[in-house]
């Protein structure tokens, strides 16, 4: 009678809770989508930055030519004259996803353009990512923690920064794939179902297709398996969760052309194979232990150890010799720069020069994950009580991602989901304690129902009391911890409910304190929301291809980049080659549709060093280099007139360093005066004569008569000079992009050159038309 | 000392054998399948060591398909084994269906990668 009432009450509460969570999740999705739309509202629906333009161009090609041409595409419009095999060097996940969405929508007669689909892919997938976070945290701690973690992830600024509308980059899809793969792994670990193991492998395949950061997964999961084995949590569910993933995952990873045989041959994957072998050994040991009597097992152990250790050492020696024979010990440059933060600055200046690869400063932690930074430790503690497989995984995830985020700013993105999960756990545990305290101390009818519920729980727990006290927590804690954090009866689970009952007795705080604490937590959440919205609106929504600034007479819009690319596409031949620093390569090929020499892919250091040397050399040498590469136009970005700080003069030292790394006649100290980089009258003659200086400051003195550079805040050194081998063809409105054309070879070296172009018979023997001087000798 | 070790080894071997013969026949069939798959993989590795590894993708897909089916069969055995407390709620038909599904995905990938 009373039991049936409470059971129908609980079903009603279950149903109500489910409906409520569904609507909350829907709202979280809408929130995640809409907070990323600031750039579309403030500027326009345009693709941001540099890398997304390449992805956009590839998606355009895919939608126009179909998948077979895309898979076999050899792009001859970049890295002239080398070209680039797009099919084999790009992670296809993002473009295939957007292409599929476009194709589905178009076949349903919803005529969205490719650009619109590309711009809005990231917000849609961030909504999906927050739902995946809900699922993952629900597996770890329960639905309440799941909802909190999902709403935190929907707004966390570090994820927003890489997934605003218009940021069409790999991370937009990859973070969703990462969280979803982790969710399926934990689900397999909790349930031991081979079905989820299959899904896990397929989700891992999607992650490998999307981002180079998949190596994080294939190293974190083996680390977690090893941790479980070492802490005595081996179970057959662990085997089912891990072993099929390794085999299927390796196969699926080798299917992706960009990974190929690296899936079995590089050190990044060796950890998974090692743990594969270890888990088989452990499984065999457990099986034999279960089958034999203890005495026989001891005998078996001594026998096997003596023989097995010898074999083991031999195998490890062979492996170590193989690995040590390669100069980088089998790791790729990028992975090495993650493991040893100083590696890149010593050996690979290109990786070191990217601003996203610098270590983050302390304020950037607070900017990017805000309040979560101090909720995470509370979450870690909450994960320890009780410690299950899933919560140990989350703890390992946060620890490793905190380390990697300390190496590179870009990897704060991997930290964000872990921080959200742990903060969600912490917040929901805190809310649970406080609401429980309030509920137990509120006067009125609620006490009676709670008392009866409490009696039920206490009765059943008394019965299980003795049994539960004897055997320790191992078995029960490995069960799926599906504590639902809503206001309903807890089903009597054996051991934890005793502890929680005891804890309930201990952790009921005074009424006023808990009300105050709940209010403070709500304020904390409010500050978080305010900060996230501000960060999304002001800091992370700039498309960086269009700049704005507020001044006393209103809003100024600097659209110089698109102006320059439009000029290039309208006023040059289709086959003309444009040389610029590698930052602008993707944008030039995507928007101006011209062949470039180097672009953001930076796969060929020597080619980039060639361009860097050309920019650092005097005019004639630079002309020779560019002529040998068939370049017609040179593009430089100059911010001195308007104060745009990321221009080529500020990047120039990197050009010198990279060029000097390959061509030793370029020496960085030649461009510095007393170790300082200057462009004013104290600058070195090498600096004042180099191509970059000349192309940036040609006719700059005509603007204000004094040639005051607003970025460097000085007057420039050499103000009046003429260009001999280049001619200026276009400068944008705010002088931000300047395009120069290579002057054709003179017919005669000496004598009057202006009048006749007719070929005279008395050509000088020094005419170097047929015999070009090789600048490398 | 050596005698006692060999005595111990013999006793161990006997106890292992007696314990194993107590397992039901269906599990023994699965074990036989696992041994067969691993042997096939070993034969392929020996072949590659003799003949050379070109084309490498065929070698990889061959070996990984053998190891993959072995692993999946072990998972099936774990789930079907009546002595396993964790899986007593799992009907063996469901375990077999999952096994078939996973094998399907595995062999689809193998077919694609075989070249």
């Amino acid at each position: 009678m009373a039991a049936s009432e409470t059971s129908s009450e609980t079903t009603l509460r279950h149903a109500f809770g489910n409906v409520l969570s569904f609507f909350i999740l829907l709202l979280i999705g809408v929130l995640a989508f809409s907070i990323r739309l600031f750039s579309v509202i403030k500027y326009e629906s345009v693709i941001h930055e540099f890398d997304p333009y390449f992805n956009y161009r590839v998606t355009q090609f895919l939608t126009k030519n179909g998948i077979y041409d895309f898979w076999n595409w050899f792009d001859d419009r970049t890295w002239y004259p080398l070209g680039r095999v797009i099919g084999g060097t790009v992670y296809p996940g993002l473009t295939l996803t957007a292409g599929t969405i476009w194709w589905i929508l178009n076949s349903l007669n919803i005529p969205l353009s490719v650009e619109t689909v590309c711009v809005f892919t990231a917000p849609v997938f961030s909504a999906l990512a927050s739902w995946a976070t809900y699922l993952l945290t629900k597996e770890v701690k329960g639905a309440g923690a799941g909802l909190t973690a999902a709403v935190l992830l929907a707004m966390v600024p570090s994820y927003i920064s890489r997934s605003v509308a218009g940021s069409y980059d790999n991370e937009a899809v990859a973070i969703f794939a990462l969280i979803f793969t982790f969710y399926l792994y934990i689900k397999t670990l909790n349930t031991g179902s081979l079905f989820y193991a299959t899904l896990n492998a397929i989700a891992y395949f999607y992650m490998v297709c999307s981002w180079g950061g998949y190596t994080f997964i294939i190293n974190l999961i083996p680390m977690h398996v090893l941790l479980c084995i070492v802490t005595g949590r081996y179970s057959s569910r662990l085997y089912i969760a891990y072993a099929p993933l390794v085999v299927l995952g390796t196969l699926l990873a080798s299917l992706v052309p960009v990974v190929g045989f690296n899936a079995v041959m590089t050190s990044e994957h060796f950890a998974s194979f090692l743990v594969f072998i270890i888990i088989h050994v452990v499984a065999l040991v457990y099986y034999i232990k279960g089958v034999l009597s203890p005495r026989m097992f001891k005998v078996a152990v001594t026998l096997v150890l003596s023989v097995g250790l010898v074999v083991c050492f031999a195998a490890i020696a062979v492996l170590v010799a193989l690995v040590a024979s390669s100069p980088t010990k089998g790791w790729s440059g990028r992975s090495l720069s993650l493991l040893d933060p100083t590696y890149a600055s010593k050996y690979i200046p290109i990786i070191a020069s990217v601003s996203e690869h610098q270590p983050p400063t302390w304020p950037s932690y607070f900017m990017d994950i805000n309040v979560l930074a101090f909720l995470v430790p509370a979450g870690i503690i909450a994960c320890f009580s009780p410690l299950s497989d899933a919560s140990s995984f989350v703890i390992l995830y946060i620890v490793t991602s905190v380390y990697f985020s300390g190496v590179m700013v870009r990897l704060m993105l991997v930290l964000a989901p872990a921080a959200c999960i742990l903060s969600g756990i912490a917040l929901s545990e805190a809310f649970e304690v406080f609401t429980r305290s309030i509920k137990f101390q509120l006067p009125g009818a609620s006490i009676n129902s709670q008392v009866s519920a409490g009696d039920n729980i206490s009765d059943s727990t008394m019965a299980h009391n003795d049994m539960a006290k004897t055997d320790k927590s191992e078995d029960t804690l490995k069960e799926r911890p599906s504590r639902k954090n809503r206001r309903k009866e807890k089903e009597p689970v054996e051991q934890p409910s005793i502890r929680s009952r005891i804890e309930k007795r201990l952790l009921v705080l005074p009424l006023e304190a808990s009300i105050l604490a709940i209010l403070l937590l709500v304020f904390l959440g409010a500050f978080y929301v305010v900060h996230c919205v501000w960060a999304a609106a002001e800091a992370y929504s700039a498309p960086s291809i269009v700049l704005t600034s507020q001044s006393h007479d209103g809003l100024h819009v600097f659209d110089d980049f698109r102006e320059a690319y439009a000029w290039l596409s309208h006023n040059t031949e289709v086959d003309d080659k444009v040389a610029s620093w590698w930052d602008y390569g993707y944008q030039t090929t995507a928007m101006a549709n011209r062949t470039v020499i180097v672009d953001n892919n930076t796969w060929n250091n020597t080619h980039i060093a060639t361009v860097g040397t050309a920019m650092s050399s005097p005019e004639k040498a630079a002309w020779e280099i560019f002529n040998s590469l068939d370049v017609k136009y040179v593009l430089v970005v100059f911010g001195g007139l308007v104060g745009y700080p990321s221009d080529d003069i500020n990047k120039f030292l990197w050009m010198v360093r990279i060029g000097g790394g390959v061509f030793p006649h370029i020496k960085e100290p030649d461009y510095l005066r007393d170790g300082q980089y200057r462009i004013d009258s104290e600058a070195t003659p090498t600096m004042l004569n180099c191509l970059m200086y000349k192309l940036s400051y040609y006719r700059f003195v005509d603007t204000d008569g004094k040639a005051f550079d607003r970025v460097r805040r000085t007057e420039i050194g050499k103000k009046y000079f003429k260009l001999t081998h280049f001619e200026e063809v276009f400068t944008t409105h705010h002088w931000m992009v300047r395009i120069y054309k290579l002057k054709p070879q003179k017919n005669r070296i000496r004598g009057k050159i202006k009048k006749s172009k007719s070929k005279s018979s008395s050509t000088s023997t020094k005419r170097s038309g047929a015999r070009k001087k090789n600048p490398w000798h | 000392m050596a005698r006692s070790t060999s005595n111990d080894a013999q006793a161990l071997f006997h106890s292992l054998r007696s314990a194993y013969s107590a397992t039901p026949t269906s599990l023994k069939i699965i074990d036989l399948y696992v041994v067969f798959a691993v042997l096939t993989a070993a034969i392929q590795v020996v072949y590659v060591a003799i003949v050379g590894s070109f084309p490498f993708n065929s070698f990889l897909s061959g070996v990984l398909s053998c190891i993959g089916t072995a692993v999946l069969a072990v998972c099936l055995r774990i789930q079907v084994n009546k002595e396993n407390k964790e899986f007593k709620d799992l009907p063996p038909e469901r375990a077999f269906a999952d096994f078939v599904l996973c094998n399907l995905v595995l062999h689809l990938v193998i077919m694609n990668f075989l070249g």
Side-chain angles (χ1 to χ4, degrees), chain A residues 656-768:
Chain A
V656 170
R657 283 177 197 141
I658 295 175
V662 181
F663 300 101
H665 65 271
I666 305 282
K667 300 191 235 329
E668 189 182 344
D670 289 346
Y671 296 83
L672 306 171
R673 170 78 67 190
D674 300 332
Q676 263 198 356
Y677 176 54
R678 330 169 61 122
I679 44 95
D680 52 10
S681 47
E682 296 291 320
T684 60
T686 332
M687 182 70 213
L688 293 177
N689 276 324
C690 73
L691 186 72
M692 180 53 70
Y693 180 91
K694 287 196 168 170
L695 293 188
S696 293
Y697 293 116
Y698 178 60
R699 289 194 313 114
F700 187 47
V701 70
D702 296 343
T703 54
D704 60 350
K706 282 187 304 193
F708 183 75
D709 184 340
R710 292 227 175 112
V711 179
R712 267 61 60 178
R713 301 201 167 277
T714 70
E715 291 186 9
I716 63 177
K718 196 154 73 166
K719 301 186 188 177
Y720 302 95
F721 57 90
K722 287 209 193 313
L723 293 174
T724 51
H725 288 73
F726 294 83
E727 58 174 323
E728 180 185 9
V729 282
F730 186 67
T731 298
T732 58
H733 185 205
H734 299 100
W735 283 56
M736 277 172 64
V737 183
R738 312 191 67 182
I739 305 181
Y740 294 85
K741 186 172 176 176
L742 263 70
K743 275 191 185 163
Q745 191 71 35
K746 290 179 204 159
N747 280 338
R748 288 170 12 147
I749 299 301
R750 290 177 199 261
K752 297 227 170 28
I753 50 168
K754 289 202 181 59
K755 296 226 182 79
S756 67
K757 284 225 165 182
S758 61
K759 295 203 176 29
S760 131
S761 59
S762 60
T763 50
S764 158
T765 53
K766 277 192 154 185
R767 175 178 169 182
S768 55

Side-chain angles (χ1 to χ4, degrees), chain A residues 192-195 198 236-237 239-240 243-244 247-248 251-252 254-255 261 264 276 287 291-292 296 299-300 303, chain B residues 8 11-12 15 19-20 56-57 64 68 71 74 77-79 86-87 94 98-99 101-102 105-106 109-110 113:
Chain A
S193 153
L194 200 55
F195 173 64
T198 318
S236 42
R237 283 170 297 118
Y239 181 85
I240 295 180
V247 176
L248 262 179
L251 269 174
L252 286 167
S254 349
L255 270 186
F261 297 145
V264 289
F276 186 65
Y287 172 68
V291 156
L292 287 182
M296 288 274 78
V299 167
L303 256 178
Chain B
D8 280 339
L12 173 68
S15 66
Y20 186 67
F56 192 59
N57 56 329
L64 283 178
V71 163
V74 171
R77 186 193 199 274
I78 290 175
Q79 290 185 331
E86 286 171 346
F87 291 105
R94 168 72 197 263
D98 287 343
F99 170 73
L101 174 72
C102 208
V105 171
L106 175 72
V109 177
I110 296 288
F113 198 49

Side-chain angles (χ1 to χ4, degrees), chain A residues 448-758:
Chain A
N448 293 333
S449 57
Q450 279 311 308
V451 165
S452 58
D455 282 338
N456 284 340
I457 294 180
S458 64
D459 285 343
S460 48
T461 50
M462 287 308 170
H464 294 247
N465 211 353
D466 309 329
M467 210 174 59
K469 269 188 187 150
T470 47
D471 71 342
K472 259 315 187 175
S473 48
E474 298 269 312
D475 299 318
T476 52
L477 285 180
K478 280 190 215 165
E479 278 173 30
R480 176 185 167 171
S482 60
R483 276 190 280 157
K484 298 202 193 297
N485 194 15
R486 295 189 284 267
R487 270 205 228 128
K488 63 166 190 62
E489 286 183 10
K490 292 199 167 121
E491 299 150 27
V493 182
E494 284 84 37
Q495 180 86 340
S497 80
I498 292 188
R499 272 217 206 113
S500 64
R501 185 91 177 103
I502 298 176
E503 281 176 17
K504 269 187 206 174
R505 291 256 160 79
L506 293 174
L507 275 184
V508 171
L509 302 172
L511 183 67
E512 301 81 9
S514 33
I515 293 182
L516 187 65
I518 287 190
L519 278 179
L520 285 179
L521 278 183
V522 169
F523 276 139
L524 193 73
F527 282 134
Y528 175 70
V529 170
V530 165
H531 171 85
C532 293
V533 173
W534 169 84
E538 299 299 323
Y540 289 137
S541 287
S544 87
I545 191 152
V546 176
L547 307 164
T548 58
S549 78
Q550 290 279 4
S551 70
H552 56 93
D553 48 341
L555 186 73
H556 275 281
V557 175
F558 299 89
D559 208 2
D560 287 44
F561 288 102
R562 294 196 289 182
E563 188 186 343
Y565 298 131
W567 185 93
L568 268 180
S569 82
H570 286 135
N571 293 294
T572 59
E573 305 290 319
V574 177
D575 283 329
D576 283 344
K577 327 285 187 263
V578 178
S580 66
W581 192 233
W582 57 262
D583 283 351
Y584 315 107
Y586 282 156
Q587 284 182 342
T588 313
T589 38
M591 279 197 271
N593 198 20
R594 293 289 172 267
T595 311
V596 292
I597 306 295
V598 286
D599 68 11
N600 307 55
N601 192 29
T602 64
W603 65 270
N604 190 332
N605 194 28
T606 312
H607 220 48
I608 295 181
T610 312
V611 173
T613 310
M615 295 294 191
S616 323
S617 314
E619 250 187 282
K620 187 152 178 5
W623 188 96
E624 300 286 342
I625 296 179
F626 281 141
N627 201 23
S628 74
L629 288 171
D630 290 347
V631 172
K632 273 293 261 316
Y633 295 92
V634 178
L635 185 149
V636 293
V637 170
F638 171 62
L641 185 65
V642 289
Y644 174 63
S646 327
D647 63 351
D648 281 355
I649 289 282
N650 270 358
K651 296 178 191 167
F652 180 60
L653 271 187
W654 284 110
M655 300 187 199
V656 170
R657 283 177 197 141
I658 295 175
V662 181
F663 300 101
H665 65 271
I666 305 282
K667 300 191 235 329
E668 189 182 344
D670 289 346
Y671 296 83
L672 306 171
R673 170 78 67 190
D674 300 332
Q676 263 198 356
Y677 176 54
R678 330 169 61 122
I679 44 95
D680 52 10
S681 47
E682 296 291 320
T684 60
T686 332
M687 182 70 213
L688 293 177
N689 276 324
C690 73
L691 186 72
M692 180 53 70
Y693 180 91
K694 287 196 168 170
L695 293 188
S696 293
Y697 293 116
Y698 178 60
R699 289 194 313 114
F700 187 47
V701 70
D702 296 343
T703 54
D704 60 350
K706 282 187 304 193
F708 183 75
D709 184 340
R710 292 227 175 112
V711 179
R712 267 61 60 178
R713 301 201 167 277
T714 70
E715 291 186 9
I716 63 177
K718 196 154 73 166
K719 301 186 188 177
Y720 302 95
F721 57 90
K722 287 209 193 313
L723 293 174
T724 51
H725 288 73
F726 294 83
E727 58 174 323
E728 180 185 9
V729 282
F730 186 67
T731 298
T732 58
H733 185 205
H734 299 100
W735 283 56
M736 277 172 64
V737 183
R738 312 191 67 182
I739 305 181
Y740 294 85
K741 186 172 176 176
L742 263 70
K743 275 191 185 163
Q745 191 71 35
K746 290 179 204 159
N747 280 338
R748 288 170 12 147
I749 299 301
R750 290 177 199 261
K752 297 227 170 28
I753 50 168
K754 289 202 181 59
K755 296 226 182 79
S756 67
K757 284 225 165 182
S758 61

Side-chain angles (χ1 to χ4, degrees), chain B residues 37-97:
Chain B
V38 173
L39 271 181
T40 316
I43 292 177
Q44 289 185 28
V45 170
V46 167
Y47 178 77
V48 152
I50 295 177
V51 168
S53 71
F54 182 78
F56 192 59
N57 56 329
S58 312
F59 162 65
L60 256 189
S61 63
V63 166
L64 283 178
S65 86
C66 293
I67 300 196
T69 54
V71 163
L72 292 177
V74 171
C75 292
L76 176 68
R77 186 193 199 274
I78 290 175
Q79 290 185 331
V80 164
N81 197 357
K82 299 218 182 5
E83 298 166 12
N84 223 331
K85 306 282 179 313
E86 286 171 346
F87 291 105
K88 59 176 162 50
D89 302 332
L90 187 71
E93 290 81 14
R94 168 72 197 263
F96 187 68

Side-chain angles (χ1 to χ4, degrees), chain A residues 285-447:
Chain A
V285 164
Y286 269 84
Y287 172 68
I288 294 189
K289 190 170 180 180
V291 156
L292 287 182
S293 66
R295 188 186 72 87
M296 288 274 78
F297 182 64
K298 279 208 185 68
V299 167
V301 163
T302 43
L303 256 178
V304 164
L305 269 185
S306 46
V307 169
L309 269 178
V310 172
V311 171
C312 224
F313 274 135
I316 290 184
V318 166
L319 192 66
V320 165
L322 265 179
V323 164
S325 62
S326 86
T328 56
K329 313 280 179 292
W331 294 89
S332 76
R334 283 205 164 167
S335 310
L336 269 176
S337 67
L338 277 181
L339 293 174
D340 173 15
T342 57
Y343 179 81
S345 50
K346 278 187 272 180
Y347 298 105
I348 318 178
I350 283 192
I351 293 184
S353 73
V354 180
S355 69
E356 298 175 317
H357 292 183
Q358 307 304 319
T361 55
W362 283 113
S364 67
Y365 275 96
F366 195 70
M367 169 76 173
D368 273 352
I369 54 175
N370 208 37
V371 153
L372 310 182
F374 47 86
L375 282 178
V376 160
I380 296 182
I381 294 183
C383 275
F384 270 108
S385 61
L387 186 69
S388 66
D389 294 339
S391 52
S392 67
F393 176 76
V394 172
I395 294 173
L396 195 63
Y397 177 22
I398 186 91
V399 166
T400 46
S401 56
V402 163
Y403 170 72
F404 285 125
S405 75
V407 174
M408 260 196 208
V409 150
R410 187 176 184 182
L411 294 179
M412 288 215 44
L413 182 62
V414 179
L415 172 64
C420 292
I421 293 171
L422 282 168
S423 316
I425 292 176
L427 274 179
S428 86
E429 292 289 301
F431 265 108
E432 185 189 344
V433 170
F434 294 135
T435 51
R436 188 170 59 216
S437 316
I438 293 181
K439 203 161 56 172
F440 277 154
Q441 297 180 55
L442 266 183
S446 57
I447 284 278

